[in-house]
Amino acid sequence: MTAPMTDGSGLQAGLKNRHLSMIAIGGVIGAGLFVGSSSGIATAGPGILLSYALVGTLVVLVMRMLGEMSAANPTSGSFSAHADRALGRWAGFSIGWLYWFFWVVVLAVEATAGAKILEGWIPAVPQWGWALIVMVVLTATNLVSVGSYGEFEFWFAGIKVVAIGAFIVVGALAIFGVLPGAHTDKAGLGNLTDHGGFLPNGPGAILTGVLLVVFSFMGSEIATLAAGESEDPQRAVTKSTNSIIWRIGVFYLGSIFIVVCLLPWNDPSIKAQGSYVAALDSLGIAHAGQIMNFIVLTSVLSCLNSGLYTASRMAFSLGGRGDAPKAFARTTSRGVPMAAIIASVVFGFVAVFFNYAFPDTVFLFLVNSSGAVALFVWLAICASQLRMRRIIERESPEKLVVRMWLYPYLTWATIALIVFVLGYMLTDTEGESSGRTTVLLSLLVALAVVAVSVIKERVRGGKAVATADTDTDTDKVSVG
């Protein structure tokens, strides 16, 4: 058994194997799958399946690279720590803080989404009140211990997995006309081609669909961060890496396939109610909307829980490497990085405030400027793996228990695909949250963070030179 990762710190191996399994599974099932898929279907029709398949393939390749590095060196900083070693301090600093920023904004988005559902059930409590309650409860959970985070995520992810599994089974029975008591007049495999063809809006809609679904995959990498606090980090990373193909295949492609077969892609209810709710409603299942709202709420809470955990562990890792306040790297007696958690949630609360006070200005800027971070992170993982493979092969080849396929050719192909997606986003100019706006604002923030890291390194280097000169002068005085 591999010794639990400690990073030379007070982090403890409080996550059990069952926690890691569910975190790995739940990480690929974001609330975006339930909420955001309707716009993708409206854009690409049944061809959205190709969009999901394309992005799913991209995620599988990136996670394979990350799995290779993390199995060889499990750490709470994951890809940020790998970039630090492979590409330089500037890369680890930049990608770490960008990732932290992304999840802090996600906290505000998910807290607001959850609050809307809860307000619909209990309107006596205002929406901002529900957002506050949700954030406080999950902050308390994360502050108790990593085990309590793992336990909450185990049940959240379990509900999502069971819900999607049940949806796929019920939907498949309806498609083949063997579901008792269901209205199946709209269901059938014919929906894939009967309403304008499989690609009703042309092949270009596949790439537009990619832009709409790519961000719902963010979270796949959480298992590699959490593995550092597990009983057997190497085994946990290896297992989650090897299983990601079927997880994406079943939960994303499988469930979306059911949706586009249950209803015509251009059915107005998909846009009005959301794809999964509309699909269930079409079968005449009682209270389908409320059932799906409960599942979406579970996904939101899961995303919030994991987002707070992920942001705090990244801040902890940055603190340990001297790229964030040292207080972030301190832990309580239970192995919890309290300062890192509190700092993350404070910025989350600030973002929630901006969402209510300045939704169309400050908060829109935050959302747009963090939107392309997922693709930047994936690029950093690819670039790191190109160099880290050679380092591992030279220093400890026995640690290569997970290997990237067709290295380095498939790594370069993945980089080309990510760059192509970013380039294609620049052609999307419609709306306040267009692809071009998202890429340019995210790039602006990324350049600002890189500039800070470069300045920080120069200051650090200057101090080191000054210290060396002082030591030399002292030696001369001593000799004299």
Side-chain angles (χ1 to χ4, degrees), residues 268-393:
S269 63
I270 290 179
K271 202 166 185 179
Q273 298 174 272
S275 52
Y276 287 78
V277 174
L280 284 178
D281 266 347
S282 71
L283 301 178
I285 295 176
H287 310 296
Q290 293 305 322
I291 293 170
M292 191 50 66
N293 273 336
F294 172 75
I295 295 167
V296 172
L297 178 63
T298 303
S299 294
V300 164
L301 295 177
S302 170
C303 194
L304 265 172
N305 194 36
S306 288
L308 183 51
Y309 171 84
T310 306
S312 65
R313 282 349 182 242
M314 187 57 74
F316 167 86
S317 178
L318 289 165
R321 286 179 273 145
D323 291 333
K326 289 183 179 179
F328 286 6
R330 298 194 189 107
T331 58
T332 66
S333 59
R334 295 185 300 276
V336 174
M338 182 179 290
I341 291 175
I342 291 175
S344 300
V345 84
V346 163
F347 278 91
F349 275 126
V350 170
V352 169
F353 168 75
F354 285 144
N355 193 10
Y356 288 107
F358 313 104
D360 299 321
T361 51
V362 180
F363 188 71
L364 186 64
F365 169 80
L366 290 177
V367 171
N368 284 336
S369 60
S370 66
V373 165
L375 293 168
F376 295 163
V377 167
W378 294 349
L379 268 180
I381 290 171
C382 296
S384 299
Q385 190 265 340
L386 280 173
R387 298 195 65 182
M388 189 62 80
R389 165 67 80 89
R390 295 196 292 270
I391 293 172
I392 299 170
E393 286 179 332

Side-chain angles (χ1 to χ4, degrees), residues 34 42 132 195 276 304 338 420 434 444 460 463:
F34 299 108
L132 182 65
H195 306 276
Y276 287 78
L304 265 172
M338 182 179 290
F420 174 77
S434 66
L444 179 67
R460 184 182 285 163
K463 286 181 179 178

Side-chain angles (χ1 to χ4, degrees), residues 55 85 92 110 170 178 213 215 229 326 376 393 400 405 456 464:
V55 179
R85 188 178 179 200
E110 300 294 342
V170 169
V178 292
V213 306
F215 304 111
E229 292 174 83
K326 289 183 179 179
F376 295 163
E393 286 179 332
L400 275 172
W405 307 296
K456 189 173 183 296

Side-chain angles (χ1 to χ4, degrees), residues 442-461:
S442 296
L443 197 57
L444 179 67
V445 171
L447 289 174
V449 175
V450 170
V452 170
S453 70
V454 171
I455 293 169
K456 189 173 183 296
E457 279 303 294
R458 287 189 176 179
V459 170
R460 184 182 285 163

Side-chain angles (χ1 to χ4, degrees), residues 55-142:
V55 179
T57 301
L58 183 62
V59 172
V60 167
L61 295 174
V62 171
M63 290 306 109
R64 185 76 186 182
M65 295 178 224
L66 181 56
E68 176 182 291
M69 296 185 289
S70 296
N73 181 30
T75 168
S76 64
S78 188
F79 48 83
S80 173
H82 303 321
D84 194 300
R85 188 178 179 200
L87 305 176
R89 291 293 297 271
W90 69 272
F93 177 98
S94 303
I95 210 65
W97 277 115
L98 283 172
Y99 190 70
W100 179 86
F101 172 59
F102 170 85
W103 279 110
V104 167
V105 175
V106 166
L107 290 180
V109 173
E110 300 294 342
T112 304
K116 285 180 180 177
I117 295 173
L118 289 166
E119 186 190 31
W121 292 343
I122 308 176
V125 178
Q127 197 177 111
W128 66 265
W130 279 120
L132 182 65
I133 291 168
V134 165
M135 291 277 275
V136 167
V137 169
L138 292 178
T139 301
T141 300
N142 275 265

